[in-house]
Amino acid sequence: MTELDRNNIPQHVAIIMDGNGRWAKQQGKMRVFGHKNGVAAVREAVSYARKIGVKYLTLYAFSSENWNRPEQEVSALMNLFMQALDFEVKKLHKNDIRLKILGDISRFSAGLQEKIKKAEKLTENNTALTLNIAANYGGRWDIVQAAQQLAEQVLAQQLNVADINEALFQQHLVTKDEPEVDLLIRTSGEQRISNFLLWQTAYAELYFSDVLWPDFNEAEFHQAILSYQQRHRRFGGTE
């Protein structure tokens, strides 16, 4: 594989993990089979991100719109989430990886909420990589909940409207204290951002891969990083 420029590694990579259902269909299996095999791709992506020095990796696991999927599939996804927290968190901790769940977890079962809190607590001081799992997350929801927090502070006379700026607003998003996304990857050939990190991806480089998520491996991730390194980021300016 072509060598990476180690001085130009994106700090924050976000991935829309798309294609599990189609991958399962190609195997003649139920969609759940694709989700289960997608876990292996998550492991490989996390391992590669840590190896090359990415500091923040955000994975879109379950959107706020995914509740509209068939009940059987949603139930299977919740069970898979529980199992992953049981089996993967100790490995993350051993590898100095911090786990954070981004989203409105109040809709999850009490048992799942408890596992999330324990996993976040166990890994909160790890520094090699922050792994954000976006679960029951939507970009519009994130912006609205930030606006609500600021509105409450204004009503309580703790904040003046004139003091609200982009930096302050960012501190009320679920990714507060994290850098904006440098590279957004979507698998499966679809080319849209699907309500994911709308604020945080304002100047992200976009990379669309035709590979279905369970087949997204280290080599595919490497190609995405190489593509990122060949671009010139202007942030609205000129050459």
Side-chain angles (χ1 to χ4, degrees), residues 202-218:
Y203 283 101
E205 297 297 320
L206 307 181
Y207 181 87
F208 299 106
S209 169
D210 290 330
V211 171
L212 301 177
W213 177 249
D215 292 328
F216 189 82
N217 55 23
E218 181 173 311

Side-chain angles (χ1 to χ4, degrees), residues 13-238:
V13 176
I15 305 179
I16 300 173
M17 306 179 293
D18 196 15
N20 287 339
R22 273 167 284 169
W23 186 89
K25 189 176 181 181
Q26 288 176 3
Q27 318 293 318
K29 305 280 189 179
M30 301 286 286
R31 291 175 60 87
V32 175
F33 183 73
H35 295 310
K36 288 180 179 177
N37 281 271
V39 174
V42 169
R43 286 193 201 103
E44 193 159 350
V46 172
S47 175
Y48 181 71
R50 188 193 186 290
K51 182 170 77 172
I52 66 170
V54 171
K55 299 305 292 182
Y56 298 87
L57 177 65
T58 303
L59 304 179
Y60 206 8
F62 190 85
S63 79
S64 46
E65 289 77 32
N66 285 160
W67 294 106
N68 297 322
R69 292 187 175 189
E71 187 177 340
Q72 184 181 8
E73 183 178 352
V74 171
S75 178
L77 282 167
M78 292 300 110
N79 287 334
L80 196 57
F81 198 6
M82 293 271 277
Q83 291 170 18
L85 286 170
D86 281 333
F87 296 116
E88 306 295 334
V89 171
K90 288 181 181 177
K91 273 190 246 175
L92 294 175
H93 187 47
K94 184 179 178 181
N95 286 284
D96 196 26
I97 296 170
R98 182 182 186 184
L99 178 68
K100 290 174 64 179
I101 307 301
L102 308 183
D104 180 8
I105 69 168
S106 65
R107 194 166 174 183
F108 296 149
S109 68
L112 181 50
Q113 290 184 49
E114 187 61 28
K115 284 182 184 294
I116 287 170
K117 289 171 185 173
K118 285 182 178 179
E120 290 183 328
K121 182 68 176 174
L122 175 67
T123 63
E124 67 181 355
N125 295 317
N126 294 341
T127 59
L129 169 71
T130 294
L131 172 62
N132 295 319
I133 302 295
N136 196 24
Y137 175 88
R140 290 177 176 177
W141 165 84
D142 194 5
I143 291 169
V144 168
Q145 65 84 31
Q148 288 172 337
Q149 289 182 53
L150 289 167
E152 287 171 358
Q153 290 179 33
V154 171
L155 283 172
Q157 297 185 329
Q158 299 168 345
L159 181 68
N160 293 319
V161 172
D163 295 330
I164 299 174
N165 54 28
E166 289 186 16
L168 182 61
F169 195 93
Q170 193 275 333
Q171 282 300 306
H172 290 79
L173 297 169
V174 294
T175 53
K176 63 182 180 181
D177 301 323
E178 296 185 7
E180 292 187 357
V181 176
D182 297 305
L183 172 64
L184 173 65
I185 300 168
R186 181 172 187 147
T187 59
S188 87
E190 301 291 351
Q191 297 188 13
R192 54 182 177 270
I193 57 175
S194 297
N195 195 23
F196 184 44
L197 298 175
L198 298 178
W199 178 284
Q200 298 89 336
T201 55
Y203 283 101
E205 297 297 320
L206 307 181
Y207 181 87
F208 299 106
S209 169
D210 290 330
V211 171
L212 301 177
W213 177 249
D215 292 328
F216 189 82
N217 55 23
E218 181 173 311
E220 294 293 337
F221 203 161
H222 187 85
Q223 286 302 313
I225 301 295
L226 280 177
S227 175
Y228 169 85
Q229 293 188 341
Q230 290 162 6
R231 304 180 192 185
H232 181 71
R233 305 183 73 199
R234 296 187 295 276
F235 299 96
T238 57

